[in-house]
Amino acid sequence: MPAPEAPHKSRWLDFASVGLSGLCVVHCLALPLLAAALPLAGTLADAPWVHPLLVLIAAPLSLWAIQSSRAWRKVPVVGLIFAGLALLALAAFVPALADLDTTLTVIGALAIASAHVVNYLTGARHTHNEDCACEVAGE
């Protein structure tokens, strides 16, 4: 004879308990590894090559994103991207601005993030027609 089916609430509680137990295991295993990795992460964060490397990665990715999304036609997006990249580059490559490193980096990163938001919001409302300059308008 098959076992009676558990009520929906009971199955949900079982599922939640299994999930919480899994989170507990992950927490118990990951926390010691994270604590052990913190000194290495701190060392890497202070390494003089980290910011320049990140700028050298962010710049081509941002330019590729502008090109592939056709955002180069949107002046606010392009302006924010280039302003953000300029601030990141100044923080990473101009030693005289070392005291402003964090401020320039945060403002630059926020400018780039804002450009992505503006690009997303303006792209969501764009409709292709004979007046737009998009290549797909004629399709």
Side-chain angles (χ1 to χ4, degrees):
M1 171 175 233
E5 191 170 320
H8 179 69
K9 186 176 183 179
S10 175
R11 286 192 295 171
W12 182 86
L13 290 172
D14 287 336
F15 181 74
S17 296
V18 169
L20 289 172
S21 296
L23 285 174
C24 181
V25 169
V26 169
H27 165 78
C28 292
L29 294 176
L31 192 59
L33 293 174
L34 180 63
L38 283 177
L40 176 63
T43 302
L44 287 177
D46 283 341
W49 53 267
V50 171
H51 280 135
L53 176 65
L54 292 175
V55 172
L56 292 174
I57 293 170
L61 283 175
S62 293
L63 297 175
W64 178 57
I66 287 173
Q67 188 276 332
S68 64
S69 71
R70 294 189 173 96
W72 52 268
R73 295 181 174 126
K74 302 173 187 173
V75 174
V77 174
V78 173
L80 284 168
I81 291 277
F82 281 111
L85 288 173
L87 291 171
L88 291 178
L90 287 171
F93 296 110
V94 180
L97 297 174
D99 291 341
L100 299 172
D101 177 20
T102 302
T103 303
L104 294 172
T105 301
V106 168
I107 294 171
L110 287 173
I112 293 171
S114 298
H116 287 291
V117 170
V118 169
N119 189 40
Y120 174 78
L121 293 175
T122 58
R125 290 190 302 263
H126 179 76
T127 55
H128 297 289
N129 57 39
E130 62 277 351
D131 295 331
C132 76
C134 296
E135 295 170 11
V136 294
E139 292 180 4

